[in-house]
Amino acid sequence: MPPSRPFPRSLSGAFTVPAANAAVHNPEQLWASDAVLRSAVLEESTGRVSLPAPQPPASHALDVGTDLQQQMHRKWRRARSALDAVPWKPLLQRLPGIWLLMLMPFAVLGPVRTPVLFAVYYTLLHAMFLANNLRSAYGMFVAYHEARTCSRTDWRDRFLRTTGAVAASRAGSLVLHDLHFDDVRHLIILPNYKEDVHTLRETLDVLASHPCARRQYTVCLAMEESESGAVEKALALVADYAVYFSHITYTLHPAGRLGEMRGKSSNVAWASREMAAHFANASATPQSLPPSSAVVVTVMDADSAFAADYFAAVAFHYSVASPDRRRLMMFAPSTVFDRNASAVPTFVRVTDVFWSIGVMSNLYSSSPVKIPCSAYSVAMDLATAVGFWDAGPEAIGEDLHMYLKCFFATRGRVVVVPIYSPASQCNVEAASSTAITKSIWRPFVHTVAGLRARYVQARRHLWGSLDTGYSLRRSLYALAAPAADADPLVAYPRYADDDDSDKLAKPDYYTDRRHHTRTAVSTAATSPAVRPGLILVLLHRLLEAHILMGHLFLLIIVSSILLPVPTTCVSPALASMLWSAVSDQPVHAVVDAALAACFWLRLLCLVPNTAMIFYYEKYHAWVGFHRWALQDPTHNPAARERARDIAASLKVVVPAAEVAFGKVQHLGLRPSLAYARRFPTCVFDWLAVPIAGLLFYVIPQFDAQLSHLFTNALVYTVAAKPSLPTSASISNTAATVTVNTAAELTRRKTSSADALPALSTVVVDVTAASVISRLPAPIRLPDRRPAVISAVTGASDDLPSHLAAHRLHPHLRPRAASSTASGSAFPPDFGADVSAKMYAAAPAGSTQHVQQLPPQSGTAANTA
């Protein structure tokens, strides 16, 4: 049983302290008035690292030792033994390919031999296609309106009002929530392999421009050991961006580890384990770090960019949730390809547009299954409990696979919160070649190379159909032997009056009075692992993603050529000749009716498609330009001016209706590349959809699923991305970094995944002492040899006045009025009381060991 709480709890679940104990009444300062009390509440409510299962009150807990329950467990164990006797993994891996091989003769002989079955399957595929289009149209409608709302929401203010801080301050009381908005720590993992350094710099620039970056962002550069110069690149970026984030470090994923598949998933798995070990041992590190229960892990590609309101929305939803609910939370952003789309062929551009639409079609709040894509966030406690990311062949699509892993580990109760501040992404480009730069064939060659690059990426995406077999296998075990298939999270209590269907229809803050009266029920004893209906929805979504389009396309093409039905056949003469070769009977009446009905179903799909296209164009304009140009300039006026300059250069005009709708919160720096969709040129994109679907969906699906008959291993090929100019970076120091990498690169490839790499001695030659003086100590476990930084520095003073503005991008330079007591300019989030004691600066012309000192108590870094 948890210990009794030292303070009375209100019906809302918050702690209330009389006004006599609160010296301030400003809601912005209430949270800092009693640090000891806050730490005690945080330790009690969220300080668990080993993730013990919460125990229900003894008065309400059901007896789990009854004979009936013991019999059920014995039955489940027998079912597990029977399932283990079947080699499900290799069988289900080949299921999509076998299904496809069987479909080919069925498309030709089905109308003759099994006309009813053919008509039913043909109609079923069309019904699924229509349902998909209707859901996509609704998803885009929701995405557009929710994106506008998200951009205009002050998430911190909403937290204060939702948790009752504002009302309590007016009444003269101090309300303490177990996790404050400002105490949520964002661990941002950037997996990269042979990424251009300027692409990485722009991603870090955008993150560094966020108001909470210095206080709440921990950035981990997930590097690959197989990349030449990875350590040097990482150390240079760490040195340049140390001042902009709460922490920044890097991990080095060893090459050739047994059982791992090269790619994003294995890199993220390695980096997340090391960072989790770091946070689990936070008390032993010199920096003040939060417990793992306050950490949200965000995985994003090296070329992705988030606005500041994404992390603010995540912090709000995570902090206002109950502690038990937080342990089940994931966050799925919408997506948009608004960067380099003008530089890629039309077929590539429209394919990525539909990829984004597909993501948003399953994110609306009432959707029972919400699958994240590419960039997403996971509670650190959830990632730890499920064993982090998988690194085998099945996990090639790490986003879907991680969701499925969490889905089954939580018995389908994983809480996925959609965030409509999109991940801005780049389209795949062809690798540049100097050999054809001046050739007259350059446009043609570049187009063909771009199409080929997108096909390689599409094949890798469809390689994720291995997750269909993974889901079927986990579903069998979950339904037949739920207790035997237990994961670390299945012991979470579920309450008898819980209704999973309205998880997002109600506020996330747990103010429901039922919280104190509802009866806890052991799920392991009373319910199967996952509700069958929820599994059906999940499998339906996977069939849409991995099966539907290929099968539907094949049946439509074959029937339009083979069957002499006037409504659908391409050439009546050709169809009559081919049909006479397979049958001497007329087309069955059921098949004829099915073909005619499905023809009208396809035409009916134009209605939701029109609505979908309309709202996507509005959505793209808002998230790509309008919100950036309208953002609040209070924090950084230059960021808004840059966004307006980009919009003006592309002749994007913000509608008066959007201007009058309301103020947009500060979003940070907009990525430099931008693409504006215009009428009527965008119409050609939509007309290219059938060819794009054939090139980048149907053919790669056939390729991947037929390949799965022989192997599940895919040779990972890094997709080329656009190159950015050097001037795009906010931090462009002249530091030359050389690394003694002997110890780093000769580590055993079979080293434990739970151990952090031991960094070797790093020698950094710099021209400005301020850069090296703010370089933080690398994140490490306590039993590891600490990194030693030797700096050969030039002239400096105790605290250079150009510390924060050193080689900053013009849009991010702090205002002159922002300074410390010693007269030094700092970024706005440094706080007014940052002093020279926080950093040790080297004397002029000397060589010494430089280490970052821990922040003094009472500084802005430690004050919420």
Side-chain angles (χ1 to χ4, degrees), residues 548-560:
L548 172 63
M549 294 306 300
H551 288 210
L552 181 62
F553 182 87
L554 180 61
L555 290 183
I556 290 176
I557 293 299
V558 172
S559 62
S560 63

Side-chain angles (χ1 to χ4, degrees), residues 608-747:
N609 276 337
T610 302
M612 177 187 70
I613 292 171
F614 173 78
Y615 281 107
Y616 178 82
E617 297 294 347
K618 294 174 70 68
Y619 164 83
H620 187 280
W622 171 257
V623 301
F625 296 96
H626 298 168
R627 62 173 182 153
W628 296 98
L630 295 175
Q631 66 176 310
D632 184 7
T634 302
H635 181 80
N636 193 338
R640 187 174 74 169
E641 293 305 318
R642 173 180 176 175
R644 290 186 171 184
D645 291 343
I646 292 174
S649 65
L650 295 174
K651 299 180 180 180
V652 176
V653 179
V654 180
E658 298 290 9
V659 177
F661 187 74
K663 182 179 68 174
V664 175
Q665 299 299 315
H666 178 69
L667 304 176
L669 197 66
R670 194 205 187 283
S672 58
L673 292 178
Y675 168 71
R677 299 180 61 83
R678 296 188 182 88
F679 183 83
T681 55
C682 64
V683 175
F684 293 102
D685 287 352
W686 302 110
L687 294 177
V689 167
I691 299 177
L694 173 64
L695 293 177
F696 303 126
Y697 199 103
V698 175
I699 297 178
Q701 177 186 332
F702 291 176
D703 187 354
Q705 293 177 358
L706 293 178
S707 298
H708 290 164
L709 296 174
F710 310 100
T711 181
N712 62 357
L714 175 68
V715 179
Y716 192 93
T717 303
V718 180
K721 298 296 173 62
S723 298
L724 300 175
T726 306
S727 60
S729 180
I730 66 169
S731 180
N732 198 15
T733 64
T736 302
V737 180
T738 59
V739 183
N740 176 12
T741 59
E744 185 71 47
L745 300 180
T746 56
R747 292 184 298 110

Side-chain angles (χ1 to χ4, degrees), residues 143-192:
Y144 168 62
H145 291 284
E146 290 293 333
R148 297 169 75 215
T149 302
C150 181
S151 301
R152 292 182 164 99
T153 301
D154 185 337
W155 292 104
R156 192 176 190 278
D157 177 72
R158 183 176 175 185
F159 168 84
L160 295 175
R161 297 182 182 279
T162 302
T163 56
V166 175
S169 66
R170 293 171 180 170
S173 300
L174 172 62
V175 178
L176 293 179
H177 190 56
D178 66 319
L179 179 62
H180 188 265
F181 179 92
D182 294 331
D183 292 335
V184 176
R185 176 64 60 86
H186 299 281
L187 170 58
I188 302 171
I189 297 179
L190 292 174
N192 64 97

Side-chain angles (χ1 to χ4, degrees), residues 199-413:
T199 300
L200 289 171
R201 284 186 180 276
E202 178 167 72
T203 301
L204 294 173
D205 291 345
V206 173
L207 292 174
S209 69
H210 296 174
C212 297
R214 182 64 179 85
R215 184 177 63 251
Q216 293 178 270
Y217 291 7
T218 294
V219 178
C220 174
L221 303 173
M223 316 300 291
E224 289 282 359
E225 185 184 63
S226 56
E227 177 186 353
S228 177
V231 176
E232 291 88 343
K233 182 196 298 184
L235 286 171
L237 293 172
V238 168
D240 288 350
Y241 288 91
V243 74
Y244 301 110
F245 302 107
S246 175
H247 295 85
I248 181 170
T249 186
Y250 75 97
T251 57
L252 196 66
H253 176 224
R257 300 187 76 236
L258 184 64
E260 286 192 352
M261 178 63 62
R262 174 185 171 189
K264 178 181 176 182
S265 186
S266 58
N267 194 354
V268 172
W270 175 268
S272 60
R273 288 177 184 273
E274 295 195 343
M275 297 305 295
H278 167 61
F279 279 101
N281 293 275
S283 59
T285 59
Q287 289 85 4
S288 176
L289 292 175
S292 61
S293 56
V295 179
V296 178
V297 183
T298 297
V299 179
M300 53 186 291
D301 293 337
D303 62 327
S304 297
F306 278 115
D309 61 342
Y310 172 77
F311 295 99
V314 169
F316 167 78
H317 289 290
Y318 190 72
S319 60
V320 301
S322 66
D324 288 339
R325 183 182 175 90
R326 291 183 201 127
R327 291 148 54 97
L328 305 174
M329 294 186 79
M330 298 182 70
F331 301 90
S334 56
T335 59
V336 64
F337 290 85
D338 63 341
R339 309 275 284 282
N340 64 321
S342 60
V344 299
T346 298
F347 301 116
V348 175
R349 185 164 57 247
V350 74
T351 299
D352 290 330
V353 166
F354 263 92
W355 190 266
S356 293
I357 293 174
V359 172
M360 289 178 281
S361 70
N362 84 120
L363 293 185
Y364 56 92
S365 60
S366 59
S367 175
V369 172
K370 304 178 184 67
I371 301 175
C373 179
S374 184
Y376 52 96
S377 300
V378 186
M380 173 67 86
D381 278 356
L382 177 59
T384 303
V386 302
F388 302 97
W389 282 255
D390 288 341
E394 279 184 325
I396 191 70
E398 111 291 342
D399 42 14
L400 172 59
H401 191 81
M402 183 59 173
Y403 169 78
L404 294 174
K405 190 175 183 181
C406 295
F407 178 90
F408 289 104
T410 61
R411 295 185 167 182
R413 295 178 181 91

Side-chain angles (χ1 to χ4, degrees), residues 471-678:
S471 299
L472 289 171
R473 187 173 78 251
R474 292 297 303 266
S475 298
L476 285 173
Y477 280 89
L479 293 174
D485 191 40
D487 277 297
L489 293 181
V490 298
Y492 277 25
R494 189 184 179 212
Y495 296 94
D497 57 349
D498 274 354
D499 183 4
D500 294 334
S501 63
D502 63 349
K503 281 183 177 178
L504 293 179
K506 298 178 180 179
D508 289 307
Y509 185 58
Y510 54 107
T511 57
D512 194 342
R513 294 171 184 257
R514 296 181 306 165
H515 181 79
H516 302 283
T517 59
R518 56 188 181 177
T519 301
V521 181
S522 172
T523 55
T526 61
S527 65
V530 189
R531 297 198 310 269
L534 195 58
I535 287 184
L536 289 177
V537 174
L538 175 65
L539 294 179
H540 171 256
R541 298 289 172 86
L542 294 177
L543 288 177
E544 282 186 342
H546 300 148
I547 302 296
L548 172 63
M549 294 306 300
H551 288 210
L552 181 62
F553 182 87
L554 180 61
L555 290 183
I556 290 176
I557 293 299
V558 172
S559 62
S560 63
I561 296 176
L562 176 65
L563 301 180
V565 177
T567 309
T568 60
C569 68
V570 176
S571 171
L574 177 63
S576 299
M577 181 185 68
L578 295 176
W579 178 255
S580 62
V582 297
S583 175
D584 55 358
Q585 300 292 327
V587 177
H588 196 281
V590 175
V591 175
D592 195 341
L595 293 177
C598 291
F599 172 77
W600 292 107
L601 284 179
R602 291 198 296 272
L603 289 182
L604 184 61
C605 288
L606 294 177
V607 176
N609 276 337
T610 302
M612 177 187 70
I613 292 171
F614 173 78
Y615 281 107
Y616 178 82
E617 297 294 347
K618 294 174 70 68
Y619 164 83
H620 187 280
W622 171 257
V623 301
F625 296 96
H626 298 168
R627 62 173 182 153
W628 296 98
L630 295 175
Q631 66 176 310
D632 184 7
T634 302
H635 181 80
N636 193 338
R640 187 174 74 169
E641 293 305 318
R642 173 180 176 175
R644 290 186 171 184
D645 291 343
I646 292 174
S649 65
L650 295 174
K651 299 180 180 180
V652 176
V653 179
V654 180
E658 298 290 9
V659 177
F661 187 74
K663 182 179 68 174
V664 175
Q665 299 299 315
H666 178 69
L667 304 176
L669 197 66
R670 194 205 187 283
S672 58
L673 292 178
Y675 168 71
R677 299 180 61 83
R678 296 188 182 88

Side-chain angles (χ1 to χ4, degrees), residues 274 747-748 751-752 754-759 779-787:
E274 295 195 343
R747 292 184 298 110
R748 298 191 305 273
S751 61
S752 172
D754 296 326
L756 289 173
L759 298 181
I779 289 179
R780 58 188 181 276
L781 286 176
D783 58 344
R784 285 291 182 175
R785 176 168 55 89

